[in-house]
Amino acid sequence: MSLASAREHRTAVVSTRTREEIHVAVRVDASANIGVGHAVRCLALVQELSRRSVRVTVFGMLDIRWVADAYERLGVPVLSPSQIDRAHVTHAVIDGYDISPELGAGLRSNAVRVLAMVDDEFGAGQVADVYVDQNYGARPHVGGPDGSIALAGPPYSLLRDEVLAVRSAPVLEHTRVTSDAAPRVLAVFGGTDPHGAAEVLVPMLVETGAPMQLTVVCPDPARGARLSSVPVQGPHQHVTVSAVLPNLAATAAAHDVAVSAAGSTVWELLTIGTPTAVVCVVDNQEAGYRATTGSGLVVPAGRLTRLRTGDRNEREAGVESLARLLTDGQLQHHLRRRGMAQFDGRGRERVADALLDSAQFVDGHGRRTPDDGGVPGEIG
């Protein structure tokens, strides 16, 4: 069979499956070392697929308890990564920078439709039918197989149920513009803060001298104890350390501002309208950090590597930005409106459609299911 004939056969097999035949594999990991960002954004997509009654199995190591619990509540099995090669699946999602491109290539050779999550060049070597870069300012992936689709930017951001619930709930407009109360500040640097960003940013927040009621998310007990003992500048500053938040979105919505690593959490914060300052913690966040801070969508708090190595200019600029965010109610109002305007909360629907190939999807009655008219992707 020629390459062209093989491709046509594979496309025909994928596009004529009924809903009952669909079985999606999700290859993703979560741990204290790599964090939870990959698994959390995949969780949002799995929630959407579950809403559509699509069968899903996760193949990965979910070593963070609350992440594993979230998948368990959906009734999604979690199996060893090695078992994906023997699984009978029709579609697959691959999210991880160190996962071999051979996985995507092998799945595609068995007529499995593959979607790869990428962050700029990180993960971009995977072999897939659909590439998704959900970051603000992202450009569509290039270099994929012939006919592959590249989706990029906020229209494809994957947001969990709890985020969408907060966004859709009626919320009273914040009144920080005229309020004299100390602003409520949430500091969160991923689900595990694997790089210890809190120990750098909390002293910077205190250094602003601004009144605040600061809540810091830190799952590590020893690090949390050190953060609790950070000296504050008077009775108008209060620091509380929390090991875990049962519902980050609801907690963030109850705060006036947030400080976050420049990863997936930022898209959740902007979706619910929480004015945010971001710190670039690792290299794969650099592109998103430049795009969001450069456009004025968020406030720059600096790059962690420079802050750690004593870059005085980086620290002074970060403290100045944080002080402005804490004290300027008009800025908070502006950021709140801009964030909610950029992220409409329907990204996971569009990504699920692309994964399931909804334009050619045949339901149980043999009818073609129309696309929802979402934002189109680019063809590779």
Side-chain angles (χ1 to χ4, degrees), residues 107-146:
L107 289 167
R108 293 182 78 248
S109 69
N110 289 321
V112 174
R113 183 172 175 82
V114 177
L115 181 149
M117 296 296 301
V118 303
D119 297 291
D120 198 24
E121 76 269 23
F122 294 89
Q126 191 55 252
V127 180
D129 300 281
V130 184
Y131 294 87
V132 180
D133 188 338
Q134 65 171 358
N135 296 294
Y136 181 85
R139 296 181 178 180
H141 173 275
V142 295
D146 290 345

Side-chain angles (χ1 to χ4, degrees), residues 186-190 192-206 214-220 223-224 226-228 230 239-242 259-261 279 281 304 307-308 315:
L186 177 65
V188 55
F189 305 98
T192 62
D193 190 11
H195 302 281
E199 290 193 276
V200 177
L201 271 295
V202 169
M204 289 174 61
L205 282 162
V206 170
L214 174 62
T215 299
V216 187
V217 181
C218 180
D220 181 81
R223 192 179 293 160
R226 292 193 294 270
L227 290 169
S228 296
V230 170
V239 178
T240 302
V241 178
S242 176
V259 183
S260 170
V279 57
V281 173
L304 188 61
L307 295 170
R308 273 227 170 90
R315 183 181 180 87

Side-chain angles (χ1 to χ4, degrees), residues 166-167 171-179 183-184 252-258 266-277 296-299 325-326 328-344:
V166 170
R167 180 185 172 90
V171 178
L172 293 176
E173 180 68 18
H174 285 238
T175 56
R176 283 291 308 147
V177 175
T178 58
S179 175
R184 299 156 294 179
H255 284 71
D256 298 292
V257 301
V266 176
W267 318 138
E268 297 189 345
L269 294 170
L270 296 180
T271 298
I272 62 178
T274 303
T276 302
L297 194 61
V298 297
V299 169
L325 179 63
L326 291 171
D328 189 338
Q330 295 288 357
L331 174 62
Q332 295 172 19
H333 178 76
H334 171 73
L335 294 176
R336 184 175 299 113
R337 293 178 66 88
R338 282 208 63 197
M340 295 189 73
Q342 287 291 332
F343 295 84
D344 67 1

